[in-house]
Amino acid sequence: MTVVVAVYNTMPYLTTCLNSLVEQSIGAERMEVVAVDDGSTDGSGDELDRFAAEYPDVVTVLRQPNSGGPASPSNRALDVATGRYVYFVGADDHLGPEALERMVAAADEWGSDVLVGKMEGVNGRAVRKPELFAENRSEIDLYDSVLPWVLSNCKLFRRDLVERHKLRFRENMRIGSDQPFTLEACVRAERISVLADYTCYYAVLRDDGGNITQGAVDVYTRLECAESLFGVVAGLLEPGPERDAILTRHTRWELTMPTREGFLELDRDAQEDVCARVGKLVEEYVTDDVLYTLPIIRRARLRLAQLGQVDLLCEAIQAAVDERSYPIAVKDGRTFLAYQGFDDPALGLLDELFEITKGMRKRLSQEVRTVRAQRDGDTVEVTVRTPFTGPGAEDPAVVRFALAPRGGKERVHLDEAAVTREPGEDGMRATVRIPVALLAGSPRHDLRLLFHASGETHDVAVPAELPGASGDTVWHRARPYRLSVRGDERGTVIETRPVRPARAVAGRIRRVTSLGGK
């Protein structure tokens, strides 16, 4: 078999990599290492020469001027490879001692054209979709597995498959050049397998982060990568579920990358160009079924790009940079995030693609807050900040409040006449007036918000942003009670505990007293 190593300035990791190869249990007589020095300047070339001199029957070194990426050196190695299988190893990474022997044996037994060996991260390097390695599988389906999310070339390929279909790396791609190669090999393969009972590949995060480019690549490089990948997929697969299975990954990852914060740094002409090119990919290749799989914020950005809404797209990206949460719009009993342009009928964005009823309970628990509480005569006023805004948000059938007494008693639904609502920049504020008479029947009440939309009712606790426990003495039916409103991330609690009349006299003279808040 042939192991291909593309090398560019990877010292001292290269030494560990090469040692892991020459010490493989498969034996020198069954393997060759073709290492291509892509114009290294850090001594990597000298290290390759040292290994070639010490292991002349195993290590072959080729040299070329720097090409700017791993595609060209990988192709050059493929041109001279002679093994039945070919395996690609990053020069920063290394293999388990029995990796090649175990993978070749499994591929021979299962008749695999492509075999994925178990991978682990080193030094904090994350391995995408580790569930792929839950168990050995002699055959997996490319379109019904997580494999489209694991398209690096760190796999065992039958070389006959590679040569028969003339598979090579795309040298015009500055990043992601291994993905079209791996994808086409998997599409062409008669059998793809997973070897999960032995760690074959150790992916190393360099101390300087030099092998991780996710945060350093410019918008146009990412856009060109996405365009290349979408073109490859379209050329391999007809429209339908199989194409969508692959494009789900490329849409969620590569296509959304150009619409992140780097977009804001472009000049206006470049923003319009990137928006148009992203929108074209969405229009031509991305079905609604694929868009449904994306988080709604990414989904909205791609739709805005498809509509050519550059200004709204900039606003959406800036909102994410500022970590602003979106209010929730309610229309015809359905809920939507009030993202940029949601209320513009000309854009037509209020459709099923942007409905957020699913997951509403979690969203409400994160965004609903009690922000003020005070006593006014014989009532307690509690002000709750909600994310609701837009058409229908004031509909009393949509948002209600209830008290949940401790001790298994039935909750008390508060009269709608006791609730006033006021729109704000961050949503709607609802002030609930609760009679002391309702509170005196139980020592503790939890405040609950009831929200009904799309045929579902969500009942959630109301967390609080109050400065702490505070209170006052109130009287009900000639009996004094200590009233307090307090809360934290778990909810808002209203307590009414009886006190001795002698202790309550001083408190009786105060009729309107703040209970704390902001």
Side-chain angles (χ1 to χ4, degrees), residues 186-249:
C186 290
V187 170
R188 306 290 189 193
E190 292 186 10
R191 175 167 292 190
I192 307 169
S193 308
V194 176
L195 181 68
D197 60 1
Y198 181 81
T199 301
C200 299
Y201 196 98
Y202 292 90
V204 179
L205 176 61
R206 284 162 49 165
D207 290 335
D208 63 359
N211 54 345
I212 301 296
T213 59
Q214 294 172 5
V217 180
D218 65 84
V219 171
Y220 269 100
T221 298
R222 294 202 177 280
L223 176 59
E224 290 163 4
C225 174
E227 289 173 330
S228 295
L229 291 172
F230 274 75
V232 168
V233 175
L236 287 172
L237 300 167
E238 294 295 324
E242 290 185 348
R243 180 193 281 190
D244 283 356
I246 305 301
L247 289 185
T248 293
R249 174 254 161 86

Side-chain angles (χ1 to χ4, degrees), residues 436 440 473-482 497-501 504 508:
V436 171
T473 300
V474 297
W475 294 76
H476 176 63
R477 294 182 178 177
R479 294 188 61 185
Y481 294 86
R482 183 66 175 173
R497 297 190 178 276
V499 297
R500 293 195 301 271
R508 192 171 189 176

Side-chain angles (χ1 to χ4, degrees), residues 145 158 188 200 227 375 395 402 438:
S145 70
R158 192 176 294 273
R188 306 290 189 193
C200 299
E227 289 173 330
R375 180 181 145 222
D395 183 354
L438 284 180

Side-chain angles (χ1 to χ4, degrees), residues 482-496:
R482 183 66 175 173
L483 171 66
S484 67
V485 181
R486 59 185 177 82
D488 53 25
E489 287 298 313
R490 293 173 296 178
T492 299
V493 178
I494 306 174
E495 291 187 335
T496 47

Side-chain angles (χ1 to χ4, degrees), residues 136-203:
N136 286 350
R137 298 181 65 181
S138 61
E139 186 170 12
I140 63 171
D141 187 339
L142 171 64
Y143 311 106
D144 190 25
S145 70
V146 297
L147 187 56
W149 293 87
V150 191
L151 290 179
S152 69
N153 63 343
C154 305
K155 298 171 176 59
L156 189 75
F157 299 92
R158 192 176 294 273
R159 197 167 67 86
D160 175 67
L161 173 77
V162 173
E163 297 305 323
R164 185 162 17 102
H165 294 286
K166 298 180 174 56
L167 303 184
R168 290 295 187 271
F169 294 85
R170 294 181 177 244
E171 297 183 19
N172 64 326
M173 292 182 65
R174 289 183 281 175
I175 60 172
S177 61
D178 55 343
Q179 292 191 50
F181 178 94
T182 304
L183 176 61
E184 184 167 1
C186 290
V187 170
R188 306 290 189 193
E190 292 186 10
R191 175 167 292 190
I192 307 169
S193 308
V194 176
L195 181 68
D197 60 1
Y198 181 81
T199 301
C200 299
Y201 196 98
Y202 292 90

